[in-house]
């Protein structure tokens, strides 16, 4: 009898433990499900190289007009340069004589955007002509050899994003680097006889560990630069396919000059053939390490010193073109990968790096081409760096790939002084895996966003804090309409009148808001149904 009672008690105790473990397991599973990254159904398997039969390597470049004279093309990309950091755009603490001269002798775009408000996806969009998420890149690329602790901290960041502590709700990129199924400007132009070179920051795959993401694998004949940002330690310096410095650390003062000298040398060596130069500077991304010639000279502190040295570099490139009498056959584009972060001026625009507001996406854009672009001209037609790909291919007489969606459009008519019809082309704004906004002519419509300043989101409803904040909205008795505690959605801004997005005019223009909302939702549905943008033939 006593033995039976003991057995019964043990069985009851075991059942309690089993039940406790089951409850804990269910809670852990529910928590993991609830706190998983938000990827809107976009699975990493979509981006595997085997997910597409053809590859960029097998892409056949079609030259539409082989006899036409092909212009040289140079893209000079700043890192985190703000819209308001140029003298010609209102900066008073930083002198930018080279950039100001370029704008006075060429065309300035007042409403130009990066394809993402952060570095890696913006560069993917620039080089492929496609919204960056089509490449599986929506945030900064991580080092391939991240330590276990850094991996844990990254995952913790995703978890904390649900509590609006940081802004990493999308988690990691779907890929470790720019997929080889993507076709870059360099690949298309090289197939048409161009010499190609990338100089400076790459940040589209850590090729120190994963060589398939080296610029050589994406159409560039030559490369000198970093594998990642100048603060993604350890940061390696490479020449071609050789690692010269394993970690540049704080010894960075020389590299703006090194990159400039390499660019000048490439131009000198390529004068007899058409060339494409992608000069992606580290400046003015933090930490700021200007050379002795510029350190302490700016009234804007170390950031201003870095901008001044970037301006000097632009001047060196222009002087080289003029010395070699190449200026009339060379298009030079100067822009930034996104808006400013901690330092720098967004020029009165709302938001900064990482946000979908204008300050995160809108960047300076100067186009210089003596004899082709009207000096001192200004375009207010909205454009985006995804437009470089079709623009450059058109200038080179190269047909666009026919097996994929190219999201950009040819800006050639604008450079020639027309192109007003491009004003009716919509642009879309991504935040991680989410398509948040649309810009059409003078209007910008948000389906939702975080009103708080990145990287601290607050009231967007896909975070736990956002849901809780929304739950505090008050609904009077007998009413179907809640009175919001914090922000409301959607948002509608009249950008050309309200460039700093201060006034939501949705209630004043409800029909326009509905039209833009429907247009955005239709495009979002089409995008998520075919995120890679492959076309069947």
């Amino acid at each position: 009898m006593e033995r039976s009672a003991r057995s019964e008690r043990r069985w009851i105790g075991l059942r309690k433990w089993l039940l406790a473990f089951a409850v804990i397991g269910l809670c852990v599973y529910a928590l993991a499900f609830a706190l998983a990254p938000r990827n809107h159904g976009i699975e990493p398997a979509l981006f595997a190289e085997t997910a597409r039969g053809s590859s960029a390597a097998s892409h056949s470049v079609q030259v539409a007009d082989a006899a036409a004279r092909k212009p040289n093309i140079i893209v000079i990309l700043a890192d985190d340069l703000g819209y308001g950091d140029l003298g010609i755009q209102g900066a008073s603490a930083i002198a930018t004589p080279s950039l100001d001269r370029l704008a006075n002798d060429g065309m300035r775009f007042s409403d130009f955007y990066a394809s993402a408000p952060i570095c890696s996806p913006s560069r993917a969009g620039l080089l492929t002509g496609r919204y960056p998420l089509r490449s599986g890149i929506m945030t900064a690329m991580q080092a391939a050899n991240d330590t276990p602790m850094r991996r844990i901290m990254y995952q913790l960041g995703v978890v904390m994003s649900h509590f609006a502590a940081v802004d990493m709700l999308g988690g990691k990129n779907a890929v470790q680097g720019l997929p080889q199924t993507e076709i870059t400007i360099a690949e298309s132009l090289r197939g048409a006889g161009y010499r190609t070179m990338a100089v400076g920051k790459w940040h589209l795959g850590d090729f120190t560990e994963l060589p398939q993401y080296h610029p050589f694998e994406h159409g560039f004949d030559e490369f000198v630069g970093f594998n990642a940002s100048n603060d993604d330690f350890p940061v390696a310096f490479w020449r071609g396919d050789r690692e010269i410095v394993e970690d540049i650390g704080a010894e960075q003062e020389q590299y703006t000059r090194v990159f400039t000298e390499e660019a000048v040398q490439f131009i000198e060596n390529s004068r007899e053939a058409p060339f494409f130069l992608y000069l992606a500077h580290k400046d003015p991304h933090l930490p700021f390490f200007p050379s002795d010639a510029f350190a302490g000279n700016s009234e804007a502190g170390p950031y201003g010193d870095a901008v001044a040295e970037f301006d000097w570099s632009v001047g060196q490139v222009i002087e080289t073109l003029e010395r070699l009498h190449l200026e009339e056959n060379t298009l030079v584009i100067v822009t930034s990968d996104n808006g400013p972060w901690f330092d720098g001026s967004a020029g009165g625009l709302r938001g900064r790096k990482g946000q979908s507001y204008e300050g995160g996406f809108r960047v300076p854009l100067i186009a210089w081409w003596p004899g082709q672009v009207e000096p001192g001209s200004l375009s207010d037609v909205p454009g985006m760096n995804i437009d470089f790909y079709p623009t450059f291919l058109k200038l080179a007489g190269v047909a666009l790939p026919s097996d994929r969606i190219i999201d950009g459009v040819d800006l050639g008519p604008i450079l020639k002084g027309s192109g007003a019809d491009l004003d009716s082309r919509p642009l879309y704004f991504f935040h991680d895996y989410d398509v948040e906004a649309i810009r059409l002519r003078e209007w910008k419509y948000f389906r939702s966003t975080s009103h708080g300043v990145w990287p601290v989101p607050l009231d967007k409803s896909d975070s736990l804090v956002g849901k809780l904040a929304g739950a505090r909205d008050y609904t009077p008795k007998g009413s179907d309409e809640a009175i919001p505690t914090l922000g409301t959605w959607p948002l509608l801004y009249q950008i050309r009148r309200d460039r700093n997005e201060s006034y939501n005019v949705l209630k004043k223009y409800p029909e326009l808001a509905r039209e833009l909302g429907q247009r955005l939702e239709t495009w979002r549905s089409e995008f998520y149904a075919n995120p890679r943008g492959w076309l069947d033939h």
Side-chain angles (χ1 to χ4, degrees):
M1 197 74 173
E2 185 178 345
R3 183 182 304 169
S4 176
R6 284 200 304 269
S7 178
E8 180 68 20
R9 286 196 297 271
R10 281 198 297 267
W11 174 239
I12 292 173
L14 179 61
R15 280 188 298 178
K16 287 181 178 178
W17 278 108
L18 289 174
L19 181 61
F21 279 126
V23 170
I24 291 172
L26 184 62
C27 290
V28 169
Y29 176 80
L31 186 63
F33 178 80
L35 299 183
R38 298 284 190 261
N39 64 4
H40 292 264
I42 297 180
E43 298 299 333
L46 291 171
F47 303 92
E49 298 299 344
T50 56
R52 181 71 174 169
S54 62
S55 69
S58 63
H59 170 59
S60 177
V61 175
Q62 299 175 345
V63 181
D65 187 357
R69 184 183 181 188
K70 297 181 177 64
N72 308 312
I73 299 169
I74 299 176
V75 174
I76 305 178
L77 185 67
D79 196 348
D80 290 5
L81 181 70
Y83 185 82
D85 286 327
L86 280 62
I88 200 166
Q89 294 190 171
S92 59
I94 307 173
T96 56
S98 298
L99 292 167
D100 297 348
R101 176 232 162 161
L102 216 62
N104 287 324
D105 291 347
M107 174 178 284
R108 188 162 51 96
F109 285 65
S110 64
D111 291 49
F112 194 82
Y113 298 97
S115 51
I118 197 166
C119 42
S120 295
S122 175
R123 291 157 198 269
L126 185 157
L127 289 173
T128 65
R130 288 150 52 86
Y131 285 110
L133 191 51
R134 296 200 189 279
S135 303
I137 301 174
M138 55 78 188
T139 189
M141 301 301 305
Q142 300 301 303
N145 60 347
D146 261 359
T147 63
M149 181 54 68
R150 284 197 293 188
R151 291 192 178 98
I152 291 172
M153 292 302 295
Y154 199 98
Q155 188 58 45
L156 182 61
V158 175
V159 172
M160 296 306 295
S161 293
H162 290 265
F163 299 98
V166 292
D167 191 7
M168 296 170 56
L169 196 55
K172 291 187 176 182
N173 292 301
V175 294
Q176 290 183 287
L178 185 66
Q180 292 182 351
T181 46
E182 295 295 335
I183 303 173
T184 67
I185 295 170
E187 284 171 297
S188 292
L189 294 183
R190 186 168 68 176
Y194 276 69
R195 293 191 65 192
T196 60
M197 184 176 192
V199 181
K201 171 181 170 178
W202 181 241
H203 213 190
L204 288 172
D206 186 1
F207 52 80
T208 60
E209 299 288 334
L210 303 168
Q212 66 268 33
Y213 299 124
H214 192 284
F216 285 176
E217 302 299 322
H218 289 288
F220 289 99
D221 299 315
E222 300 180 46
F223 171 71
V224 174
F226 302 152
N227 59 324
S229 288
N230 62 321
D231 64 342
D232 284 336
F233 303 113
V235 185
F237 172 65
W238 284 59
R239 287 185 182 275
D241 58 358
R242 292 177 56 238
E243 183 181 89
I244 306 302
V245 180
E246 182 179 1
D247 183 13
I248 62 173
E251 302 297 324
Q252 299 188 19
E253 292 84 354
Q254 62 175 311
Y255 286 107
T256 300
R257 179 173 291 277
V258 168
F259 295 159
T260 304
E261 291 172 349
E262 291 291 340
V264 167
Q265 187 66 54
F266 175 75
I267 294 170
E268 292 175 341
N269 294 342
S270 306
R271 69 182 81 178
E272 302 301 328
F275 62 83
F276 170 59
L277 171 63
Y278 173 56
L279 174 53
H281 273 293
K282 68 175 180 63
D283 300 321
H285 191 285
L286 60 81
F288 313 117
F289 289 100
S291 64
D292 291 342
F294 294 90
N297 290 345
S298 169
E299 294 300 320
Y303 177 91
D305 298 341
V307 173
E309 190 158 16
F310 172 80
D311 179 82
W312 164 84
S313 176
V314 172
Q316 294 298 297
V317 170
I318 300 304
E319 287 180 18
T320 302
L321 294 172
E322 292 175 333
R323 171 168 54 83
L324 300 175
H325 306 293
L326 297 174
E327 70 273 22
E328 293 188 359
N329 194 40
T330 304
L331 169 63
V332 177
I333 297 288
V334 183
T335 188
S336 179
D337 62 345
N338 47 248
W341 198 3
F342 294 103
D343 285 298
S345 169
L349 303 173
R350 184 175 184 176
R352 300 180 79 80
K353 177 179 179 176
Q355 289 188 280
S356 294
Y357 290 118
E358 294 289 284
F361 270 87
R362 197 192 294 200
V363 291
L365 189 284
I366 298 172
W368 182 83
W369 191 357
Q372 299 291 330
V373 174
E374 185 70 22
S377 50
L378 177 69
S379 173
D380 65 355
V381 176
M384 188 173 274
N385 68 10
I386 55 175
D387 298 332
F388 294 158
Y389 185 90
T391 302
F392 298 166
L393 266 62
K394 179 73 172 179
L395 290 174
V398 178
L400 292 172
S402 60
D403 67 339
R404 65 198 60 206
I405 294 172
I406 300 297
D407 296 297
V409 300
D410 175 22
L411 296 179
I414 295 178
L415 296 177
K416 301 291 185 180
S418 58
D421 57 322
L422 295 179
D423 198 36
S424 62
R425 182 269 301 254
L427 292 170
Y428 298 94
F429 299 79
F430 286 77
H431 184 85
D432 287 0
Y433 288 94
D434 193 11
V435 188
E436 288 191 341
I438 177 176
R439 165 83 192 260
L440 182 64
R441 294 185 292 274
E442 63 179 310
W443 303 98
K444 188 173 176 185
Y445 172 94
F446 284 90
R447 55 184 294 273
S448 65
T449 191
S450 291
H451 288 87
V453 176
W454 184 83
V456 184
L458 180 63
D459 53 355
K460 190 177 178 183
S461 60
D462 57 356
S463 71
L464 179 59
V465 169
K467 286 185 174 69
L468 293 174
R472 294 182 60 223
D473 292 355
Y474 174 69
T475 304
K477 277 186 179 180
S479 174
D480 295 329
E481 186 173 350
I483 300 173
T485 304
L486 295 174
T488 60
W489 296 275
L491 306 169
L492 180 66
Y493 297 114
Q494 193 171 5
I495 292 297
R496 287 180 182 147
R497 176 170 292 176
D498 176 24
R499 64 198 295 269
N500 60 353
E501 297 164 293
S502 297
Y503 309 109
N504 180 13
V505 294
L506 183 137
K507 290 187 176 180
K508 182 175 177 63
Y509 302 101
E511 291 300 321
L512 175 61
R514 271 193 289 273
E515 177 189 339
L516 289 174
Q518 290 171 0
R519 191 160 184 167
L520 176 58
E521 290 306 320
T522 298
W523 192 87
R524 288 181 81 246
S525 297
E526 293 173 352
F527 179 88
Y528 288 124
N530 182 20
R532 298 244 34 203
W534 300 135
L535 300 175
D536 296 323
H537 297 285

